């Protein structure tokens, strides 16, 4: 079912966008829970972060559309469900929800997400156009 995507698509693009989507959704969740920024990193409150968070919204659906363009709409729907589940499990395993848990701090997570989501978009669009 996913042979066409695996042979012609970019798995790195999908992984980068899923990572970004999960980090940004968790940042938005933290922003809603802590509106004054007392227990959240201040990078979440910065206006530029809001722009990056808004620009990363398509990271929730674009990987599934991207896979679907290669392997059909059924594969796209299945991959969306699988990516949502895997992303949620990765969020828990990597400790993105716990305070000071995980393999890197919140500042590093958000900075990395701001860097990799345009890279994910670029890899996906360039492989479609090639």
């Amino acid at each position: 079912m996913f042979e066409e995507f695996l042979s012609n698509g970019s798995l790195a693009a999908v992984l980068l966008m899923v990572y970004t989507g999960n980090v940004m959704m968790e940042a938005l969740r933290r922003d809603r829970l802590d509106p004054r920024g007392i227990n959240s990193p201040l990078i979440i409150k910065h206006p530029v972060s809001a722009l990056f968070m808004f620009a990363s919204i398509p990271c929730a659906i674009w990987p599934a559309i991207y896979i679907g363009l290669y392997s059909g709409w059924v594969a796209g729907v299945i991959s969306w469900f699988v990516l949502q589940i895997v992303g949620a499990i990765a969020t828990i395993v990597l400790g993105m929800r716990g305070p000071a848990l995980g393999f890197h701090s919140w500042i590093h997570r958000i900075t990395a997400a701001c860097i990799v989501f345009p890279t994910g978009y670029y890899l996906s669009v360039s492989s479609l156009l090639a």
Side-chain angles (χ1 to χ4, degrees):
M1 176 181 286
F2 295 98
E3 296 87 15
E4 185 70 25
F5 167 72
L6 293 174
S7 65
N8 297 325
S10 175
L11 188 60
V14 172
L15 294 176
L16 292 175
M17 288 188 285
V18 169
Y19 172 78
T20 299
N22 286 316
V23 168
M24 292 302 185
M25 288 304 129
E26 183 62 23
L28 287 171
R29 186 185 75 81
R30 284 180 177 239
D31 187 38
R32 296 285 249 160
L33 291 175
D34 188 17
R36 291 190 175 87
I38 296 170
N39 295 318
S40 298
L42 294 179
I43 193 168
I44 294 175
K45 299 296 182 188
H46 197 276
V48 174
S49 291
L51 293 174
F52 278 103
M53 287 180 197
F54 181 73
S56 70
I57 290 172
C59 288
I61 192 71
W62 177 245
I65 294 170
Y66 176 62
I67 292 170
L69 289 173
Y70 280 107
S71 299
W73 69 272
V74 175
V77 171
I78 291 171
S79 67
W80 185 79
F81 283 112
V82 169
L83 290 174
Q84 295 300 313
I85 293 169
V86 168
I89 291 171
T91 300
I92 293 167
V93 168
L94 294 176
M96 290 182 194
R97 289 191 177 220
L101 295 176
F103 64 94
H104 55 304
S105 70
W106 260 104
I107 292 172
H108 294 119
R109 281 185 208 144
I110 292 177
T111 304
C114 290
I115 292 169
V116 301
F117 89 84
T119 307
Y121 287 150
Y122 172 76
L123 289 173
S124 65
V125 171
S126 65
S127 67
L128 282 173
L129 297 177

